[in-house]
């Protein structure tokens, strides 16, 4: 066996897992399991620890390397686990030299486990084109940005990812063109704080200009999708692209976090409740069939039932279809961890209510699709997704193709044809 990757957390981690696999295998690592960890919640860290113990029981002779955001922020904790052989930093994991050093450490029997550099010292970002993507894989990710310059009071991710840095536009366009030439139908732009793209580049180009450049210079691209954005930073070029180019998918996932203005202020967010509603209304006027998803935190410190009700109401007021609900989890050394905490049972119940609201919103959207004809990207023999990222149960279509299909019904979770 060579290198197995177990990934937790965001889409960016999923993209980076493929880079890790390529670099670790090129370094000659064998019978090695890499845990690509997430630090966004205590539960995510606990899941990584549980996975490490389970994998060591199942494969006692395998080397276990931990990397990712939790490895960056809690390296000593992971190094203290007897099952772990090495801890590699979150920027280090993207460098070939780190995996060669890891192999050398294993060969020499080096006792030092931690190989984690100062993430805050990282100022530039190299493009990483994954050569291991299978030809014709329908949807692939292109990392255009990493890190975050904002300091939301609940968030530890800047300390796991560093400050914001971007891939130059020309390199991104070249990557997209190469992937399209390899037969990939849909490209997803991804990053930690995607709408801060370009602030560190000459001329400070924004995400909207990057989007327009991709669409202009890669006319063969069938579908371009944007992952999670901060709506308050959406620029005019991005809105123009949403309105004018059908190849940019009518689906946006928003980092909203709360629907209450006082909680947003305590979170140190930069938008208000009305800003979120106005943004959704504006984009819906530009692209009437747009579908929105959102991240919302349940039970942020000091949140009352009345404050929570405003988050619950936001599902309808913004017309959200996809909800990603986070029960609040205090992260080490963050300001929110020092605020008065909401009781755990209340957090659990509020998260349940939000998820229930999300399930209802999704079912309503699925029902509204019946009778419509949608362009469906065939992801596998049994499933595709519409432009709006709605799942469709399909049969008999070629994987990787984009085909118009008439929606006949819904099973409550997927559309049917």
């Amino acid at each position: 066996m060579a290198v197995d990757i177990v990934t937790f957390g965001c889409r960016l981690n999923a993209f980076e897992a493929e880079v890790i696999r390529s670099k670790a295998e090129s370094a000659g690592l064998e019978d090695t399991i890499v845990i690509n960890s997430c630090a966004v919640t205590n539960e995510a860290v606990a899941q990584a620890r549980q996975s490490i113990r389970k994998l060591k029981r199942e494969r006692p002779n395998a080397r276990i390397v931990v990397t990712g955001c939790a490895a960056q922020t809690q390296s000593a904790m992971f190094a203290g686990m007897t099952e772990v052989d090495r801890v590699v930093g979150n920027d280090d994991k993207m460098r070939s030299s780190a995996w060669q050093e890891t192999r050398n450490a294993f060969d020499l029997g080096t006792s030092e486990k931690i190989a984690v550099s100062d993430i805050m010292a990282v100022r530039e970002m190299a493009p990483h084109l994954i050569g291991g993507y299978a030809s014709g894989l329908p949807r692939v990710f292109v990392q255009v940005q990493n890190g975050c310059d904002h300091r939301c009071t609940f968030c530890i991710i800047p300390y796991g990812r560093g400050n914001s840095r971007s891939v130059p536009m020309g390199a991104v366009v070249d990557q997209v063109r190469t992937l399209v030439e390899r037969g990939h139908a849909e490209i997803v732009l991804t990053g930690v704080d995607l709408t801060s793209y370009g602030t560190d580049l000459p001329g400070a180009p924004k995400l909207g200009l990057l989007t327009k450049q991709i669409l202009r210079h890669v006319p063969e691209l069938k579908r371009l999708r944007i992952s999670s954005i901060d709506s308050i930073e959406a620029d005019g070029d991005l809105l123009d692209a949403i309105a004018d180019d059908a190849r940019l998918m009518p689906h946006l996932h928003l980092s909203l976090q709360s629907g209450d203005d006082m909680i947003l202020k305590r979170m140190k967010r930069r938008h208000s409740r009305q800003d979120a509603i106005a943004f959704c209304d504006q984009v819906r006027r530009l692209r009437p069939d747009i579908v929105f998803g959102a991240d919302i935190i349940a039970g942020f410190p000091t949140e009352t039932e009345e404050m929570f009700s405003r988050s619950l109401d936001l599902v309808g007021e913004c017309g959200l279809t996809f909800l990603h609900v986070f029960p609040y989890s205090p992260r080490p050394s963050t300001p929110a961890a020092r605020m008065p905490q909401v009781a755990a049972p209340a957090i659990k119940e509020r998260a349940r209510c939000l998820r229930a609201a999300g399930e209802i919103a999704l079912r309503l959207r699925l029902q509204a699709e019946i009778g419509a004809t949608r362009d469906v990207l065939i992801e596998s023999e049994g499933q595709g997704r519409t432009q709006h990222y709605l799942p469709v149960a399909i049969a008999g279509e070629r994987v990787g193709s984009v085909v118009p299909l008439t929606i006949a019904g819904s099973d409550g979770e997927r559309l049917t044809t």
Side-chain angles (χ1 to χ4, degrees), residues 1 43 45 51 119 136 179 221 224 297 313 373 384 386:
M1 287 182 249
E43 182 181 1
V45 177
S51 181
I119 196 75
L179 290 168
L221 174 61
L224 180 66
I297 295 174
D313 291 344
T373 298
T386 69

Side-chain angles (χ1 to χ4, degrees), residues 326-343:
F326 291 88
Y328 173 74
S329 178
R331 307 308 297 126
S333 303
T334 57
R338 300 189 294 272
M339 297 179 186
Q341 304 292 300
V342 175

